[in-house]
Amino acid sequence: MNQKVAWIVFILAVVVGVWYFVRTSSKTEKSVEEKSSNVGSVENLIDGVYVLDTASSTITWTGSKTFIKGYADSGILSFTGGSVIVSEGAIVAGAFVIDMKSFSVIATGIGSENEKLVNHLKSSDFFNVAQYPVAVVGIHSIVNGAVTADVTIKDVTKQVVFPVIVSQVGEVLTADADLTIDRTLWDIKYGSSTLLGDLGDNVIGDTVTLNLSLVAHKTQ
């Protein structure tokens, strides 16, 4: 793991732990039964620490070419770990680590050459996975269904805000979120018309759409 990213993950873990201790040290945790009537509400979750189920959580990404109507590449990314803290019924902090080596392609705009695209995305033209094997999402807050988070890719950190739907059944949290990011803000500039001029059909859109599907289990 890149040293800077590792440090970010460590700091987030410490902040999350301290926040949870301060918020819960003088409170008695409410039971599943007490909160069962509030399942599905972002503001009425069961207090505790929730660990990401990496086998059940994914990111689906979609990119496009600017001047080719209907052209889209899409694929999947996996997580290496993560957790969130729920205090007083709300998510107050959290962090997720994305495994950039897990890049896969499920469809391309030309309908083939999936492996070629994967290798290109992993190269220094795009995400430079050899040097930056992970990305990090650090949650600051969720207010009125909107997440404020720091996203670190290639050692560049930018704050983003996006909507999320959080549900709870028993001691399992699920979350679904869609966001669109401008890849050039994270120094991913290959094929961008805003930086390289008119490239015709080779212009790659600056925006990337991400769908996060998360599952987390309460541990304490």
Side-chain angles (χ1 to χ4, degrees):
M1 182 184 293
N2 179 272
Q3 185 176 3
K4 181 179 178 181
V5 173
W7 179 247
I8 292 171
V9 174
F10 173 75
I11 293 297
L12 284 169
V14 171
V15 170
V16 165
V18 171
W19 196 327
Y20 178 73
F21 177 79
V22 170
R23 288 294 190 93
T24 61
S25 59
S26 62
K27 297 179 176 68
T28 301
E29 182 175 303
K30 294 185 179 181
S31 68
V32 173
E33 290 76 19
E34 287 177 311
K35 293 246 180 170
S36 61
S37 61
N38 295 317
V39 166
S41 172
V42 171
E43 290 79 20
N44 291 279
L45 305 175
I46 302 168
D47 288 3
V49 178
Y50 294 77
V51 173
L52 188 70
D53 182 341
T54 57
S56 302
S57 302
T58 58
I59 298 175
T60 302
W61 59 267
T62 303
S64 63
K65 286 196 173 181
T66 304
F67 299 120
I68 303 179
K69 185 176 181 179
Y71 188 103
D73 298 323
S74 61
I76 301 291
L77 280 164
S78 302
F79 294 90
T80 63
S83 62
V84 295
I85 298 298
V86 176
S87 180
E88 297 183 355
I91 295 174
V92 295
F96 305 99
V97 181
I98 303 166
D99 180 8
M100 301 304 288
K101 300 186 300 297
S102 71
F103 252 115
S104 68
V105 172
I106 56 177
T108 68
I110 60 175
S112 62
E113 299 188 2
N114 294 36
E115 184 176 355
K116 181 179 179 180
L117 178 57
V118 167
N119 291 335
H120 197 191
L121 290 171
K122 289 182 177 181
S123 75
S124 58
D125 281 346
F126 286 94
F127 294 94
N128 197 0
V129 170
Q131 184 174 351
Y132 306 102
V134 299
V136 178
V137 178
I139 297 173
H140 290 296
S141 64
I142 301 180
V143 179
N144 296 325
V147 178
T148 299
D150 282 341
V151 176
T152 300
I153 304 171
K154 294 178 65 176
D155 264 1
V156 178
T157 301
K158 299 291 181 181
Q159 189 169 100
V160 298
V161 179
F162 54 93
V164 65
I165 297 174
V166 178
S167 300
Q168 180 156 28
V169 177
E171 296 189 341
V172 179
L173 286 183
T174 60
D176 289 288
D178 292 296
L179 65 151
T180 299
I181 63 172
D182 180 346
R183 63 188 175 93
T184 63
L185 298 178
W186 285 269
D187 195 32
I188 305 165
K189 302 174 182 179
Y190 181 88
S192 171
S193 63
T194 58
L195 299 168
L196 300 177
D198 184 8
L199 301 176
D201 289 349
N202 291 318
V203 172
I204 300 171
D206 291 340
T207 58
V208 179
T209 301
L210 305 174
N211 171 259
L212 283 66
S213 179
L214 309 177
V215 179
H217 300 271
K218 186 174 180 294
T219 61
Q220 55 177 282

